[in-house]
């Protein structure tokens, strides 16, 4: 479970940095690397979203 939490944290950080770059510089790194609307990019977005959900659930469990 510790590995899953570390992976989820890493993906959430990647997602947060990507959103920060979108907000600051109008640059989407995921789309730049994988192409806009690509399946690989969509998978990355889904994994980042699932990571956020996992960390939220873990946070509520620890409270």
């Amino acid at each position: 479970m510790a590995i899953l939490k570390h992976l989820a944290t890493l993906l959430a950080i990647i997602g947060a940095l990507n959103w920060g770059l979108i907000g600051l510089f109008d640059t989407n790194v995921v789309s730049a690397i994988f192409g806009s609307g690509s399946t690989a990019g969509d998978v990355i977005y889904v994994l980042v979203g699932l990571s956020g959900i996992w960390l939220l659930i873990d946070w509520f469990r620890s409270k």
Side-chain angles (χ1 to χ4, degrees):
M1 289 301 240
I3 293 173
L4 186 59
K5 186 174 181 179
H6 289 304
L7 182 60
T9 302
L10 177 65
L11 286 170
I13 290 169
I14 290 170
L17 291 173
N18 190 51
W19 274 108
L21 290 171
I22 290 170
L24 289 172
F25 304 112
D26 198 28
T27 301
N28 188 337
V29 177
V30 174
S31 291
I33 293 171
F34 297 106
S36 181
S38 70
T39 303
D42 291 343
V43 169
I44 297 295
Y45 289 129
V46 168
L47 290 175
V48 168
L50 290 174
S51 296
I53 292 168
W54 174 264
L55 291 171
L56 187 62
I57 290 169
D58 187 56
W59 181 68
F60 276 114
R61 282 185 188 164
S62 68
K63 294 245 170 217

